[in-house]
Amino acid sequence: MAVAAVGSLWLAVAGIRRDPSLLPGRTDPVARAGVDGALNLMLIGTDASSSGAAEVLLMVHVDADRDQVHVLSVPRELLVPLSGGGQEPIGAAFARVGSAGVVTALEDLLQVRVDHVAVTRLEAMARLIDLLDGITVNNPLASSADGHVFTRGPIILHGQEALAFVRQGDGRPGDLDRAESQRLVLQGIVERLLTSKALLNPGTVKAVLNQLAGDLVVDSGLDTAAMVRLFIDLRVSVSHRALRTIELPTAGRGTTASGAPYLRPDAERIRRLGDALTTDRLDGWVR
């Protein structure tokens, strides 16, 4: 039965698309390798309504012992220098420089190495969330959208509720920022993938992975063997404590010459965060 389950898992993962252009070349010494066995996975979420911009950017750090997972949230408005020259908010830059350019900017900023990249479409996540029996988000602001009411605090969202949640907000004072709601939902999906008891059922695992195969693109280095091994390691080894979320440190707002809002990176705190990522010591990181 175990062999059959792994075989089914292997076939489902093999259907996920690979794209060698998602990662940059590895000639730049700035991209330091971390502790042997630790992984930094960049998860990028796009929306059909965003003209190719990245709405959500999360770096998922898996420690070398496969005991803990930390999720680093990167604001889409973070101002970063680009390898081709100039500076731009990182979310908007994705439409122009792609995944490889965004990864290079983050590696330069944090002085860390991104090992793998996954790009997904936010609008195609409803069925995945239903397959996971819903997700939990910690809603910072009571709101409503499309007939759904979202109370403040921890709430459970299913597919259509999650879509309404991420599409709420039209910029009025007091609204939950759309990028923040999208980040919360994508983070909830990551946590559910690692902790859901529904994924103890091989049939559910196959259904989830088949859904991902249609909505996910990963770098070519994350081949079938690596994905199956990582999935099994995380499901078996990661502690059942909640994932820890870390906000990338920023130092105030500004506006570009074209009128686009941006967040300035806090260089000193980001340097310390990069050191914690590289040495696999995020629990000891001092903000």
Side-chain angles (χ1 to χ4, degrees):
M1 290 177 63
V3 171
V6 172
S8 177
L9 176 62
W10 187 283
L11 289 174
V13 169
I16 294 176
R17 289 171 292 163
R18 272 80 179 179
D19 183 348
S21 70
L22 293 185
L23 279 174
R26 292 305 183 188
T27 59
D28 189 347
V30 168
R32 298 180 297 169
V35 173
D36 188 30
L39 284 176
N40 292 319
L41 170 65
M42 193 72 207
L43 181 58
I44 300 173
T46 65
D47 195 318
S49 63
S50 62
S51 301
E55 294 292 324
V56 177
L57 299 105
L58 302 175
M59 183 184 292
V60 181
H61 178 81
V62 184
D63 72 354
D65 293 331
R66 300 295 187 267
D67 181 58
Q68 294 186 55
V69 176
H70 292 79
V71 180
L72 172 63
S73 176
V74 180
R76 63 175 180 170
E77 295 177 350
L78 182 74
L79 189 68
V80 293
L82 300 174
S83 57
Q87 299 185 88
E88 192 173 352
I90 193 167
F94 177 78
R96 186 165 64 84
V97 301
S99 169
V102 165
V103 167
T104 296
L106 283 176
E107 288 184 334
D108 290 348
L109 184 67
L110 285 161
Q111 294 285 285
V112 303
R113 183 183 182 118
V114 174
D115 300 291
H116 298 293
V117 178
V119 180
T120 188
R121 298 179 298 125
L122 294 179
E123 67 270 16
M125 65 189 175
R127 175 166 161 73
L128 173 61
I129 291 173
D130 283 336
L131 287 171
L132 294 171
D133 290 337
I135 60 171
T136 299
V137 303
N138 190 12
N139 183 24
L141 184 69
S143 60
S144 62
D146 295 338
H148 301 283
V149 176
F150 308 113
T151 58
R152 187 173 182 270
I155 57 175
I156 296 176
L157 300 176
H158 290 87
Q160 292 304 312
E161 294 171 312
L163 286 179
F165 186 79
V166 301
R167 288 171 174 160
Q168 67 180 314
D170 57 10
R172 295 174 300 178
D175 278 351
L176 178 62
D177 180 73
R178 183 169 178 174
E180 174 65 6
S181 64
Q182 291 170 336
R183 182 189 68 80
L184 289 170
V185 166
L186 200 51
Q187 178 183 315
I189 291 173
V190 172
E191 182 167 10
R192 197 69 166 151
L193 284 170
L194 295 182
T195 63
S196 175
K197 291 182 179 179
L199 294 185
L200 296 177
N201 182 329
T204 304
V205 171
K206 187 176 187 302
V208 166
L209 290 173
N210 284 340
Q211 181 67 26
L212 287 174
D215 301 323
L216 191 71
V217 182
V218 301
D219 65 276
S220 55
L222 200 54
D223 59 21
T224 300
M227 289 190 75
V228 169
R229 184 168 57 250
L230 180 60
F231 182 84
I232 293 173
D233 282 350
L234 292 180
R235 290 294 300 180
V236 170
S237 302
V238 170
S239 67
H240 292 289
R241 289 173 288 176
L243 301 183
R244 181 181 172 192
T245 304
I246 300 171
E247 299 283 342
L248 190 137
T250 58
R253 293 185 173 273
T255 305
T256 66
S258 63
Y262 66 79
L263 286 167
R264 291 187 296 272
D266 186 320
E268 176 55 29
R269 288 194 297 160
I270 286 176
R271 182 193 63 78
R272 294 202 302 267
L273 175 57
D275 287 342
L277 280 163
T278 302
T279 58
D280 216 4
R281 295 178 179 174
L282 280 170
D283 277 343
W285 178 59
V286 178
R287 294 173 181 79

